[in-house]
Amino acid sequence: MPELARIPYKITFLTGVAIVVANMVGTGVFTSLGFQVMGIHSGFALLMLWLVGGLIALCGAVSYAELASAMPRSGGEYHYLSQIYHPALGFLSGWVSATVGFAAPTALAALALGQYAKSVWPGLQPTWLSVAVVLLLTLVHGSSTRVGSRLQIIITALKVGVLVVFIGAGVVVGEGQPISFLPDAAGWRALLSPAFAVSLVYVSYAYSGWNAAVYVTGEIENPRRNLSRILLAGTAVVLLLYVGLNYVFLRSTPLAGLEGQVEVGFVAATSLFGPVGGRLMSGIIAALLVSTVSSMILAGPRIVQTMGEDIPALRFLAPKSRAGIPVRALLLQTVITLAFILRPGFKEVLVYAGFVLNLFTFLTVLGLFILRWRRPELARPYRAWGYPLTPLLFLCLSGWTLLFILRDKPVESRYGLYTLAAGLLVYFVMMRSTRSSAAPRAKALP
């Protein structure tokens, strides 16, 4: 029994799906519709936004599933890019994930949780509630993977259940608004408009997280078999939830009432169930965001821990506890997350971080073609469904989004490139330091 107690707990299929769903369903789906209706007034085009965004995520998921089955190790893009291209490119993806890729979205979800909770309890201090939630979940995930995994399953199941009930109630309760969801000439024109391109950028942000399970590949039970199922199942569930939620939002509330609104869930619930129902929904959304914060705290540190195994200068972040938890990497991410929560104006960081993270996702899916060409003999228990069409579709749509951001968001893009330049400088300084320290030892060898 003592020997069994020391065997690290493995993440099951259900936990993996919970991580993916919880990472994806965060603040984006409850906030972005208000900005989409400012430029698009077709119900068909608005729902197509979420279908296209989901299609991009599914194409990415099948591509990542093949890479993960061929290279089953935690770390996500850091591991894949290091192996396919060069360790420097892998380090850059890990650098971005460690600094803003996980910590900033975790802080945003925690702050949104606090704001939604404040609408129910006006006397509440939202910032300190955000800090308390992050610290409590860090304690849970830092003490036991088994307990953290079970907590993740429970709170994500509650999240999905509540959203399904809300969608069902939204279809049954209230009068439908005069908006058509059937395709027509105006709807097709809207699909080709600049406003659709702008909105798709933000929808893509809302779908980010579909690749969350690859960061904990090494801790998944039978990853070669389960990881592809986890990625596809989690992404498909979220696609259905997103389309259903936005259908209810649009059906329940006049477009003028949604336009420019950030708390779309609150507005729609108030329209459906009255002021009391709106406040209740705010409290429910606050509770649902606990799942999002929890999943990011669980997945993010695995990237830093994997980097610590490979890079001598970061070796202090590599150790795991007896339970298999990267405690030091977890604490580092928590400190960065709390810094974002306590620092005003951090939301601008997310815009340029989104650009850089999308860039690495693009390069990772492109790496699928390179790996098949360079290593055709490599065992691939799962092969990307629809290859080469699915990864090509992902690359086309993601590339179009990246070009759009470069053209229309030059400041954010420039800051993203500055972040990469800083990471590249850190990498070469560390590598040079490592070689310098290793040289005297090498000379001493006979």
Side-chain angles (χ1 to χ4, degrees):
M1 287 299 291
E3 290 296 323
L4 290 175
R6 285 196 290 268
I7 298 176
Y9 177 77
K10 288 292 185 179
I11 293 172
T12 63
F13 169 76
L14 280 178
T15 304
V17 172
I19 292 171
V20 172
V21 173
N23 260 275
M24 294 175 74
V25 184
T27 54
V29 72
F30 296 115
T31 58
S32 61
L33 183 62
F35 301 103
Q36 294 160 23
V37 300
M38 294 174 70
I40 303 174
H41 299 100
S42 164
F44 167 70
L46 287 165
L47 285 189
M48 282 299 295
L49 269 174
W50 294 92
L51 281 170
V52 171
L55 178 62
I56 295 173
L58 280 172
C59 290
V62 298
S63 302
Y64 268 57
E66 177 174 324
L67 291 171
S69 71
M71 298 182 287
R73 186 192 182 199
S74 297
E77 290 90 354
Y78 162 73
H79 176 53
Y80 307 144
L81 297 177
S82 295
Q83 296 295 313
I84 297 171
Y85 297 98
H86 190 276
L89 192 58
F91 175 83
L92 286 181
S93 70
W95 164 266
V96 172
S97 295
T99 52
V100 293
F102 273 92
T106 302
L108 178 61
L111 283 172
L113 182 157
Q115 290 298 328
Y116 271 108
K118 186 179 179 181
S119 66
V120 182
W121 299 285
L124 191 70
Q125 291 293 331
T127 301
W128 295 115
L129 176 62
S130 304
V131 170
V133 168
V134 169
L135 290 176
L136 179 61
L137 291 173
T138 298
L139 180 62
V140 171
H141 288 297
S143 60
S144 169
T145 304
R146 185 186 300 273
V147 173
S149 297
R150 289 177 177 173
L151 173 66
Q152 192 65 56
I153 292 174
I154 293 170
I155 57 182
T156 304
L158 288 173
K159 172 188 278 190
V160 173
V162 167
L163 294 180
V164 169
V165 170
F166 177 78
I167 292 169
V171 172
V172 174
V173 177
E175 298 181 2
Q177 298 299 314
I179 183 172
S180 174
F181 298 100
L182 297 176
D184 54 19
W188 288 112
R189 284 196 300 271
L191 257 64
L192 302 174
S193 68
F196 190 89
V198 174
S199 296
L200 188 58
V201 173
Y202 296 103
V203 169
S204 297
Y205 292 160
Y207 270 105
S208 63
W210 51 264
N211 55 348
V214 301
Y215 301 114
V216 294
T217 300
E219 298 175 53
I220 291 176
E221 185 178 62
N222 193 1
R224 292 184 182 272
R225 175 176 179 270
N226 284 331
L227 190 56
S228 60
R229 298 165 61 222
I230 288 170
L231 293 173
L232 294 173
T235 305
V237 167
V238 174
L239 190 157
L240 294 175
L241 287 175
Y242 277 5
V243 173
L245 278 171
N246 283 279
Y247 171 78
V248 169
F249 293 159
L250 292 167
R251 182 184 181 277
S252 64
T253 312
L255 291 184
L258 292 171
E259 192 169 324
Q261 296 293 324
V262 176
E263 295 180 346
V264 175
F266 170 75
V267 173
T270 302
S271 179
L272 283 169
F273 311 115
V276 175
R279 290 184 62 189
L280 178 62
M281 187 62 187
S282 291
I284 291 173
I285 292 175
L288 297 183
L289 288 172
V290 172
S291 172
T292 304
V293 175
S294 174
S295 65
M296 292 182 180
I297 290 175
L298 173 61
R302 272 63 184 180
I303 304 172
V304 181
Q305 188 272 330
T306 304
M307 292 173 67
E309 292 179 347
D310 298 339
I311 302 172
L314 301 178
R315 193 63 50 81
F316 69 98
L317 295 170
K320 293 182 179 181
S321 67
R322 294 181 65 186
I325 300 169
V327 176
R328 294 181 183 179
L330 174 63
L331 292 175
L332 175 63
Q333 178 174 303
T334 299
V335 169
I336 299 173
T337 300
L338 293 177
F340 277 125
I341 289 176
L342 299 172
R343 176 183 178 274
F346 87 94
K347 294 181 183 179
E348 290 77 5
V349 175
L350 292 176
V351 178
Y352 82 80
F355 164 72
V356 181
L357 292 172
N358 282 343
L359 175 61
F360 285 121
T361 305
F362 179 91
L363 291 173
T364 302
V365 174
L366 180 62
L368 178 63
F369 293 95
I370 298 173
L371 193 65
R372 282 207 181 192
W373 173 58
R374 287 183 178 172
R375 301 285 305 279
E377 82 290 350
L378 195 64
R380 293 172 172 85
Y382 174 85
R383 288 180 173 264
W385 180 87
Y387 179 92
L389 294 180
T390 44
L392 280 175
L393 182 59
F394 178 90
L395 292 174
C396 289
L397 293 172
S398 295
W400 177 57
T401 302
L402 286 169
L403 289 174
F404 179 84
I405 298 174
L406 278 169
R407 189 192 71 184
D408 286 56
K409 304 286 184 182
V411 176
E412 291 85 348
S413 302
R414 190 161 57 247
Y415 278 118
L417 296 175
Y418 289 160
T419 303
L420 294 182
L424 198 60
L425 179 63
V426 170
Y427 173 79
F428 283 114
V429 168
M430 288 195 308
M431 291 300 102
R432 186 172 181 178
S433 174
T434 301
R435 286 193 294 268
S436 299
S437 62
R441 292 195 298 270
K443 291 179 180 178
L445 294 174

